[in-house]
Amino acid sequence: MKEKPDDEGGTLWIVATPIGNLGDQSLRMQELLQQVPVIAAEDTRVSRRLLSGRASEPRWFSLNEHTESRSLPLLIEVLESGQDVALLSDAGTPLVSDPGYRLVDAAHAAGIRVSPLPGPCAAIAALSAAGLASNRFWFEGFLPARRAARRARLRELKSLAATLIVYVPARDLVDVLEDALAVLGPERPAALARELTKLHETVCRKPVGELLEFCRSRPEQAKGEAVLLLGGSETSAVAIDAEALADELAAALPPSRAAGILSRLSGLSRKQAWAAIEQRRGGRSDRETLTNEP
Ligand code: SAM
């Protein structure tokens, strides 16, 4: 490619590919894939479809969790010998919930030039259409598969003042939205971006409770691939440690004042806050863990 500087090593190109609609291939992507001598692909059968019309066959390497340890040193050798390599995932941008991090890390460590060919990414496409605050966002990728672990992770993210972007297989949407409802409450703003760029695309913004009903009542929403976006916390950018706060307030202030401040800052009810302060003033060791979930 023309952008290549006059040096001896090859360049590792990180190539974004369509997330559904093949019309989203960039001209640079097409040009590179017609001539790059070596391709490292998450699944070579999937990436092969992007090479139609190419005269010569590139050298292929498989790069995924099963093949990475074998392919990675070979790819670094290829790059050091002066050949360019294109890294592709099955769809979207490599390294975004997709393989490639170790290769890019190793390339930098070896002093190899790394250059991105930017393009489709489901997370960014979803954010751009969701109508939720986009000045700050947190890319979470996939939540844990098990419900208890998923809820625990959502609890950790609950106070984040940034739009949360989650990848979800559409068949799990109802389960994940049930968890979001339990942890974040029904009013938390949310958006669903499903089957983006494809025939049966859904882009729908509704609070969590309504979005759950929307998905429950439409079985077709359980098909395909989805991004779920959850609005950031508006109450606090910092998670309040209710336990530590109760300890400090109980030691420093009269009970009713301590309970009032604890309730206001932590989101605990006045009754819960009063009990927490009383427990601490009585020095009881059997006190309950404080939680301010809805
Ligand atoms: N690297 C990819 C990217 O840049 O978006 C993501 C790969 S990750 C293994 C696959 C997940 O991305 C899917 O489970 C889904 O959450 C999301 N995704 C991929 N294509 C999508 C699409 N067309 N519409 C909505 N979500 C999509």
Side-chain angles (χ1 to χ4, degrees):
M1 299 212 39
K2 288 192 193 71
E3 296 91 335
K4 194 173 176 204
D6 191 16
D7 58 17
E8 288 184 359
T11 295
L12 174 59
W13 299 98
I14 313 301
V15 185
T17 58
I19 56 170
N21 191 323
L22 289 181
D24 292 335
Q25 298 176 58
S26 72
L27 289 174
R28 288 183 76 212
M29 185 210 103
Q30 290 176 336
E31 188 192 355
L32 181 81
L33 294 188
Q34 285 300 314
Q35 63 187 51
V36 72
V38 180
I39 298 181
E42 181 181 6
D43 183 335
T44 55
R45 291 162 305 178
V46 173
S47 296
R48 203 175 278 280
R49 295 180 206 142
L50 299 170
L51 269 64
S52 65
R54 180 171 161 145
S56 62
E57 185 70 9
R59 188 173 166 201
W60 288 97
F61 285 85
S62 162
L63 193 89
N64 54 50
E65 56 182 319
H66 307 294
T67 58
E68 189 172 60
S69 55
R70 192 158 24 93
S71 297
L72 196 149
L74 299 174
L75 285 162
I76 295 296
E77 266 178 39
V78 165
L79 286 157
E80 283 178 331
S81 76
Q83 285 193 304
D84 283 6
V85 173
L87 171 66
L88 309 180
S89 61
D90 287 354
T93 301
L95 280 84
V96 179
S97 291
D98 264 341
Y101 163 67
R102 288 201 175 80
L103 176 61
V104 175
D105 179 41
H108 280 284
I112 290 160
R113 180 179 176 234
V114 181
S115 182
L117 257 75
C121 173
I124 298 301
L127 180 70
S128 71
L132 297 176
S134 56
N135 54 334
R136 270 194 213 107
F137 56 90
W138 176 278
F139 175 67
E140 178 67 5
F142 292 96
L143 287 165
R146 283 180 41 249
R147 171 151 273 172
R150 201 159 59 219
R151 289 194 180 192
R153 182 62 187 147
L154 284 171
R155 275 196 291 274
E156 287 171 357
L157 296 166
K158 179 180 175 178
S159 304
L160 207 64
T163 294
L164 180 62
I165 304 177
V166 181
Y167 281 166
V168 188
R171 64 175 180 277
D172 296 340
L173 270 172
V174 167
D175 286 353
V176 174
L177 278 164
E178 282 173 358
D179 296 337
L181 181 91
V183 176
L184 308 175
E187 301 304 330
R188 180 70 72 109
L192 167 65
R194 192 186 62 89
E195 292 291 86
L196 290 173
T197 77
K198 302 183 197 174
L199 188 59
H200 299 291
E201 179 180 272
T202 302
V203 177
C204 172
R205 185 184 68 174
K206 291 177 186 297
V208 165
E210 288 178 37
L211 196 55
L212 175 57
E213 282 319 307
F214 175 84
C215 290
R216 272 193 184 134
S217 61
R218 291 174 176 75
E220 74 277 8
Q221 297 300 321
K223 292 184 188 145
E225 304 186 281
V227 183
L228 179 64
L229 302 101
L230 299 160
S233 167
E234 287 183 0
T235 50
S236 167
V238 179
I240 298 279
D241 182 342
E243 305 275 353
L245 185 61
D247 288 343
E248 295 293 330
L249 291 169
L253 294 173
S256 94
R257 194 154 151 60
I261 295 174
L262 179 61
S263 166
R264 212 168 48 250
L265 293 184
S266 68
L268 291 170
S269 70
R270 176 90 193 178
K271 195 172 157 205
Q272 287 172 312
W274 183 263
I277 296 297
E278 282 296 288
Q279 281 170 352
R280 280 159 176 80
R281 284 172 61 83
R284 281 172 47 189
S285 58
D286 60 340
R287 58 198 194 195
E288 289 170 15
T289 304
L290 295 181
T291 163
N292 49 10
E293 276 175 24

